[in-house]
Amino acid sequence: MYKNLSITVVIPCLNEEQGIEKVLSRMPEFVDEVIVVDNGSTDRTADVARSFGAQVIREGVRGYGRSYKKGFSLATGDVIVTLDGDHSYPPDAISYLLEAYLHLEADFLNASRFPVRDRRAMSFKHKFGNLVLSVVMSLLFFRWIHDSQSGMWVFSRKILKDMILESDGMAFSEEIKIEALLHPTARFEEIAIMYTSRLGEIKLNPWRDGFQNLFFLLKKRFARR
């Protein structure tokens, strides 16, 4: 519990044996529930997660968004916190983010990776791609977003029921932010965090995923609700 709020952390994983150990070893004690969604790992990701007391759920259909939707469906906390299993997002920043979430009276808090202070954490190509996608999203939805592709969020579980979440892939990251912005009563806020270089293999395909996310933004903007 954190200030009378139960906290669930949801972590999607695909072959993150090295990173998940680092993440879970730094998980704050006040977190009530940790759900690791194993998206078909062939290494010891699931075993390592269980050894730290995490609830491991297997999602057989590959996809970043698919994993998150599975994890969210099983979350029981008042507040859901997300981060990746590769140790690029700081688990010990969760208390800092929760304080900001409460202070700003937010319903959805996005953890922006910018400015990137660790030079090894993100290549110029990835920075440029993120900038393009964030600018396009900001223009389409009339709200400046510093980091449309961030994978660390803090939000009230109750707003999920009003969200239309369709993406099973990497576009899920921008989609959930769009849904928070379009939510009739939710307050969207953003705050910067420290982002570091990942552990393990890189699974993002910058050109393919970048163009798919750009197309998804346009589709989401002009789709009927």
Side-chain angles (χ1 to χ4, degrees):
M1 297 285 286
Y2 189 88
K3 297 188 176 179
N4 296 320
L5 294 171
S6 56
I7 310 297
T8 295
V9 174
V10 179
I11 309 172
C13 284
L14 174 59
N15 294 330
E16 302 290 4
E17 176 182 341
Q18 186 180 5
I20 196 64
E21 180 177 1
K22 296 283 189 182
V23 171
L24 296 179
S25 66
R26 295 172 60 190
M27 191 63 59
E29 292 185 2
F30 59 75
V31 171
D32 300 279
E33 179 179 56
V34 178
I35 298 175
V36 171
V37 184
D38 181 6
N39 201 203
S41 299
T42 55
D43 63 3
R44 296 184 59 254
T45 295
D47 293 335
V48 172
R50 288 192 190 96
S51 73
F52 281 91
Q55 179 184 354
V56 178
I57 306 299
R58 188 170 180 85
E59 172 53 67
V61 179
R62 287 282 177 91
Y64 186 72
R66 183 87 178 198
S67 297
Y68 265 131
K69 285 185 278 189
K70 180 81 167 191
F72 294 166
S73 71
L74 298 168
T76 61
D78 299 315
V79 176
I80 295 176
V81 181
T82 69
L83 69 163
D84 292 346
D86 59 12
H87 198 245
S88 54
Y89 295 96
D92 43 14
I94 292 176
S95 59
Y96 159 74
L97 290 172
L98 286 169
E99 278 298 311
Y101 171 83
L102 294 172
H103 177 72
L104 296 170
E105 298 182 346
D107 296 290
F108 190 102
L109 180 68
N110 184 44
S112 171
R113 297 165 294 174
F114 299 100
V116 179
R117 285 167 280 179
D118 182 350
R119 294 180 181 178
R120 301 166 299 173
M122 190 182 296
S123 67
F124 175 79
K125 180 169 58 178
H126 285 162
K127 288 179 184 177
F128 180 75
N130 273 283
L131 175 62
V132 170
L133 290 169
S134 294
V135 169
V136 171
M137 179 171 162
S138 299
L139 292 173
L140 289 174
F141 294 95
F142 312 109
R143 168 71 185 267
W144 177 246
I145 305 297
H146 289 87
D147 190 0
S148 67
Q149 307 303 308
S150 168
M152 192 171 192
W153 327 306
V154 179
F155 62 94
S156 171
R157 183 170 60 91
K158 67 183 180 182
I159 69 173
L160 279 172
K161 68 180 186 301
D162 298 315
M163 290 183 169
I164 303 171
L165 298 170
E166 300 173 328
S167 175
D168 285 339
M170 296 303 296
F172 183 85
S173 181
E174 59 194 19
E175 181 176 34
I176 194 169
K177 299 177 186 71
I178 292 168
E179 286 296 314
L181 289 170
L182 296 178
H183 192 283
T185 60
R187 182 183 178 94
F188 180 98
E189 297 290 346
E190 196 170 25
I191 192 169
I193 58 160
M194 181 68 179
Y195 181 72
T196 57
S197 52
R198 62 166 288 127
L199 297 174
E201 62 177 304
I202 297 174
K203 304 174 187 71
L204 182 71
N205 184 315
W207 292 111
R208 180 199 65 199
D209 293 327
F211 280 112
Q212 286 180 350
N213 286 6
L214 183 60
F215 175 76
F216 186 86
L217 283 174
L218 296 169
K219 175 185 172 184
K220 189 80 177 178
R221 174 62 181 87
F222 298 106
R224 290 187 177 182
R225 295 182 66 80

